[in-house]
Structure formats: C-alpha cells, structure tokens
Amino acid sequence: MGRSAARKHSGKYNLEQKTPLHHDGARPSVVKKQSTPNYLTGSDDVPAGMTNVKQPGGSLTAAVGDGKTDDTSAIKAIVKHVEGSTNNKVFFPRGEYLVGGDIAISGSVELHGTQSGIAVIKASTPYAIKIHNASPVSSVSLQYLYFDGIRVVFEDQIKGSSSTRDITIESCVFFSSASPTSSNGQNRQLVMMELGNSGVYKNVFLRDSGAYGVASRFRSTLNVWVIGKVCGLELSKLDWLSSKVEPVSHWRDQKKKLEFLKTHYNLKSDQGYFKSCLYDQCDKRMKIAENIFNGSPNTGRHRDHAMYLKGFDNLEVKSNYVRGWPANPSGGIKARNGKNLWLARNYVDDTGILLYSHKNRKRKACLHNGLKNVVIYGNHLVQRTRPGRRESSLSYYEPHSVGKDENIKYSANVFEIVGFSHPTQYTCIWLTNGDPSQHHVYRDNVYYGTSTPVKLQADGGTPSYETKDIDQEIKNLYNYSAYKLDIPPY
C-alpha cells in the first residue's frame, strides 16, 4: 500500500504519521489514562433466574455487603430457602459480605459471584470460618467468588459412600486480607474428601508470610479433576498472567482484579507462602493438569512438596508448571505407594520429581505395597542450584527395601542444567534400593539441546537403558511440549 492509499483510510492506522486518525483526519485529543475501577462498588445486572442476595424478595432478609454488617444469617437463610429447588441459583453482586459463622449447605445450590466486579465473602476470623456441606449433597457449585479467610470444605458424611458428588469450584480466589492466628493459618483453604465426580477449575490460591500453609487437600475421592489452578503469585508482576495462560480473556480480567485486591486490601506482593499446593491421598481416577504451582523461595520454612501424591489409583498428572520448591527431599512432585500413574509433560524448575515407596505403618488400605504401572514421560526438569543431585533430578527411593515395584517406565524426559559448564557430566536419574528389572529407562531421556542420553545412578547395581523404544501408544498420547511458562521470579 502506498502513502496516498494509506491517507484515504480515515479512522485507521496512518502509515506515515503513526497515529490513529478520526474520520475527519484530525489527530485525536490526548486521553488521560483511566484510573483503576473499584470492583467492589457499583451495580450489577442480575442474571435471569437467580436470587440476588441484596434483594432476595419475600420475607427473606437482604445481605448488605458493606464489609461491616454481619451477613451470616441473611446468606444462610437465602441458601436454605433455595437449595434443592428448581430455582437454586444465588447471585452475589459486587461487595464485601462479612460472615462471623459457618455457612452450611444441605442441598443442590449454585452460588455465583459477579463477573463484572468482585464479590468477597469475608471471614471475621481468618481461616476459622468455612463454607461446607452439612449432609451428603450433590450438584453444588461455587463460581466467581473471592474467599477472604474463608475455608471451603466438602466431604461425604458417610465414609466410603461418595454420595456427595458433582461439586464444582470454578474461577474463585482464595486469599486473606488479615493475618490469622498461627493455628488457624495452618488450615487448608480447600478440602474435598470422600466424594465423587467433581471439578476444581481456574481458581487462584494466595498466602502471604502471615498465613503459611496448604492450599488444597483431596482424600478418598473418585473421579475429581483439578485443572487450571494458580497457586502462588507475586502480585507486583502479573503481566505474564494476562498473556501466557489460557483462556487469555479470563486471565486478563483476573489480572486486573488481583491488582485491585492488592491495592484495596494492601496485600503483600509475595503471595506464595505455601507448604504445599496440593495433597492427594487415596484418590481414584483423578486428573491434575495445566496448573501453576508457583511457590515463593522466601518462606524459610519446611516445605512438603508442591504436590504430594499418595495411595493413588489411576492418576494423571500432566502439563503442570512447578517452581519455588527447594532442590532437596521436600521439593517438587512426590508420588508414593500408588498404582497406575501417568506423570507427563510437566515443567519442573530447579526442584525434583521423586518416586517413593515406604512402609505402610498405619496400614491404610489404599497404600499399594510399592509403585505399580508408572509412566514418567516427557517432563522438562531444570537444574540451577544443585545439578547432579538426586533431590533436583528424577529419582526413585525406597528406604526400607520392602516395597514391590512393578513396571515403572522413564522416557523422553529432558534435563536442562543452567549456569554450569559441561552439563553432560551430571547424573540426572537416580534409582535407590529399587528392583532394576522393574525400572525401565529409555535412551530418549536426554540433556537439553542434545540427543545424549543422561547419566544414570543406581545403588546396588549398574542401571542400563532399554534397547527398545517406549510404547507408541504413550508417544501418541503425549505428543506435545511440556508446560513451560516464563514467569518472572519473586
């Protein structure tokens, strides 16, 4: 396009002047940068078919949402009124809903926060108050709510029945604007136990130095998915969140709201004080995918793994980003005493992946005697501070020599050693006290940027590579790249 042609398109980008034009060809007036909106004030359109907690109608008392009035009784009454009915959707317009007691759910209900603003449910005592089920429930969802010091707990009241099911926690933010007591601060933000067919999607978990603890705990669940979770953020460095994580439109909007929360509540920037992001124990048919476990390196406290997976059966852990846990035995991803595990295409930055067999001292029925049918495929492990150590590598450890492992495969894992010369001199896969005949290591485990197989180390014998390739079916299943993100450091 020539210059004359460019000038004819008024209202479009002018190639010569490098400035958008009005339709009359004049330069636009300078527009001042708009201030950040107050997401807690203003009005919201109430979606059709939902009960507005600020205008519930009938004889129900309205919630105020001013952050000062205790709205516990109003919210409890509204939830009780609609749950289990055909009109069971409750809408929380923007505002702060202060609660001084637990909110129990006894039937099917959906609690929706506004998407255009922010609806905060705020505990009067941080992490001492919870939203929970008081009896077995099904078809319950919490969406677009901001939980300030609130714990969310769903568990079946009848052990082993899984009659509590179809629970959805989606697009919520867990944080605390005030420091809890040391005992309350250790409480988990989200707990799901003895339930089935449930999902946890696109939620954000934040903890600062005054609330060090665990984000989420899952135990004895059946068919639960944890997808798109963000655990730990540096709130002053969020640009990456609005451009690198799918769906982009959702996270672009969430970035603005998180920045507002930081300013409005004067939150500390470092919100990555997690002992662990996810505990999984005795869960079946679980999927953990596309999550960001971004722990702070500044905690100075004992860590217990970004993910601690124990007693699982049929567990898929794929395309997760893990950073901020130390390159020591308490770092990274730990999988212990389970069977049927696929751990694939995860990006693990300066921490490790540990397969672990241990004595079943408490004789839990779900704990397998060792590990069985495990595939470790296509993970990208970065080593920055302690290269060549088992703690920052891919390792197997059996301290008591009592486990019976079966069919463990390691294939297509990439090891990137940063800041050290001669990276190919470092050992990257360690096997301690395992039965070498059951650990199948393939030659496609290589150093980053090379086709050189990594060095192996085994106690009690010399490990060797398999002469054949891993099953084509596994290659086809995970035919994509590891979940690498360029997240700025804390």
Side-chain angles (χ1 to χ4, degrees):
M1 180 185 293
R3 290 186 177 183
S4 59
R7 292 192 185 99
K8 292 179 182 178
H9 292 272
S10 60
K12 295 187 178 181
Y13 197 82
N14 186 293
L15 299 181
E16 183 177 28
Q17 295 176 316
K18 305 296 184 184
T19 305
L21 300 179
H22 288 298
H23 289 287
D24 60 3
R27 292 179 183 273
S29 59
V30 177
V31 178
K32 293 183 179 180
K33 184 178 179 180
Q34 293 183 345
S35 60
T36 302
N38 188 332
Y39 288 103
L40 289 171
T41 61
S43 60
D44 294 295
D45 294 331
V46 181
M50 292 193 183
T51 298
N52 181 356
V53 295
K54 289 187 175 181
Q55 295 177 331
S59 60
L60 293 169
T61 300
V64 179
D66 62 359
K68 300 176 182 178
T69 305
D70 191 330
D71 287 321
T72 309
S73 297
I75 294 173
K76 288 171 67 174
I78 294 168
V79 170
K80 185 176 181 180
H81 180 74
V82 304
E83 61 187 5
S85 70
T86 56
N87 184 21
N88 66 344
K89 297 179 176 65
V90 178
F91 179 69
F92 288 77
R94 62 185 70 198
E96 288 180 286
Y97 301 88
L98 181 66
V99 293
D102 293 348
I103 297 174
I105 294 174
S106 300
S108 172
V109 69
E110 298 182 16
L111 307 184
H112 294 258
T114 172
Q115 294 188 47
S116 59
I118 291 176
V120 176
I121 301 180
K122 183 175 183 176
S124 59
T125 305
Y127 297 127
I129 294 170
K130 63 181 181 290
I131 295 176
H132 68 109
N133 62 307
S135 59
V137 295
S138 63
S139 301
V140 174
S141 71
L142 311 179
Q143 299 182 38
Y144 294 97
L145 291 166
Y146 289 68
F147 298 115
D148 183 356
I150 296 285
R151 302 172 61 224
V152 174
V153 179
F154 284 94
E155 55 184 322
D156 204 285
Q157 308 301 306
I158 305 172
K159 188 173 182 179
S161 72
S162 292
S163 54
T164 293
R165 56 196 303 109
D166 300 315
I167 309 299
T168 301
I169 315 295
E170 182 174 0
S171 301
C172 294
V173 175
F174 295 75
F175 74 106
S176 179
S177 62
S179 294
T181 64
S182 58
S183 58
N184 288 339
Q186 297 177 28
N187 289 331
R188 286 115 184 193
Q189 292 165 299
L190 172 65
V191 176
M192 303 181 84
M193 299 191 297
E194 304 278 353
L195 51 78
N197 295 347
S198 298
V200 179
Y201 309 110
K202 301 198 302 287
N203 299 286
V204 176
F205 293 81
L206 306 175
R207 281 184 181 267
D208 65 21
S209 57
Y212 180 71
V214 176
S216 56
R217 168 72 183 274
F218 301 86
R219 191 183 74 191
S220 302
T221 65
L222 177 65
N223 195 27
V224 169
W225 288 19
V226 182
I227 311 290
K229 166 182 178 177
V230 176
C231 177
L233 286 172
E234 166 56 73
L235 293 182
S236 63
K237 302 176 182 178
L238 293 180
D239 286 346
W240 64 272
L241 188 62
S242 61
S243 60
K244 299 181 182 299
V245 185
E246 297 289 344
V248 171
S249 59
H250 169 83
W251 290 109
R252 184 184 297 124
D253 183 56
Q254 192 65 279
K255 168 186 175 288
K256 296 176 183 177
K257 293 177 179 178
L258 290 169
E259 290 173 337
F260 170 80
L261 285 184
K262 179 181 183 299
T263 301
H264 181 80
Y265 290 110
N266 195 27
L267 299 180
K268 297 176 182 178
S269 292
D270 188 339
Q271 292 286 334
Y273 274 69
F274 288 92
K275 181 179 180 181
S276 178
C277 279
L278 189 150
Y279 278 166
D280 151 50
Q281 180 176 327
C282 305
D283 297 293
K284 295 182 179 180
R285 298 209 303 268
M286 188 175 193
K287 179 179 288 188
I288 303 170
E290 298 177 14
N291 301 287
I292 298 171
F293 300 111
N294 184 38
S296 170
N298 304 318
T299 62
R301 308 186 196 184
H302 170 69
R303 314 300 290 277
D304 201 14
H305 308 281
M307 281 186 275
Y308 191 169
L309 317 170
K310 180 168 68 172
F312 46 82
D313 185 359
N314 200 341
L315 170 63
E316 185 176 36
V317 180
K318 68 175 185 178
S319 300
N320 298 285
Y321 176 93
V322 180
R323 186 187 70 172
W325 272 260
N328 65 32
S330 291
I333 303 172
K334 179 178 179 179
R336 174 192 164 193
N337 293 75
K339 56 186 178 181
N340 304 318
L341 167 67
W342 292 264
L343 204 157
R345 296 301 186 187
N346 300 284
Y347 188 87
V348 182
D349 194 336
D350 207 26
T351 184
I353 296 175
L354 171 62
L355 305 180
Y356 191 75
S357 292
H358 199 277
K359 287 182 178 179
N360 187 3
R361 292 192 175 116
K362 296 184 179 180
R363 301 188 181 279
K364 291 184 179 294
C366 69
L367 292 185
H368 185 69
N369 185 22
L371 291 163
K372 180 178 180 180
N373 297 335
V374 174
V375 174
I376 312 297
Y377 185 86
N379 300 284
H380 189 131
L381 291 91
V382 181
Q383 301 181 38
R384 302 179 189 274
T385 57
R386 306 182 75 189
R389 303 287 293 271
R390 61 166 53 91
E391 296 89 350
S392 59
S393 303
L394 172 53
S395 62
Y396 169 86
Y397 184 50
E398 211 290 48
H400 304 292
S401 301
V402 296
K404 294 182 179 179
D405 302 313
E406 299 178 57
N407 192 30
I408 302 175
K409 298 179 179 181
Y410 311 78
S411 176
N413 299 289
V414 175
F415 298 83
E416 181 178 358
I417 298 173
V418 178
F420 295 85
S421 57
H422 310 296
T424 57
Q425 70 179 334
Y426 295 104
T427 300
C428 293
I429 297 179
W430 298 75
L431 306 176
T432 305
N433 295 346
D435 179 354
S437 68
Q438 295 299 320
H439 290 260
H440 308 285
V441 185
Y442 296 85
R443 297 188 67 84
D444 56 359
N445 294 284
V446 298
Y447 296 99
Y448 178 70
T450 78
S451 58
T452 304
V454 298
K455 289 186 176 181
L456 314 178
Q457 175 70 40
D459 293 353
T462 302
S464 60
Y465 282 109
E466 297 290 320
T467 57
K468 298 180 180 180
D469 289 343
I470 199 168
D471 305 339
Q472 187 63 43
E473 180 182 0
I474 295 175
K475 292 183 178 181
N476 294 340
L477 184 62
Y478 299 111
N479 185 25
Y480 49 85
S481 300
Y483 192 47
K484 180 179 180 180
L485 294 169
D486 294 320
I487 299 178
Y490 280 84

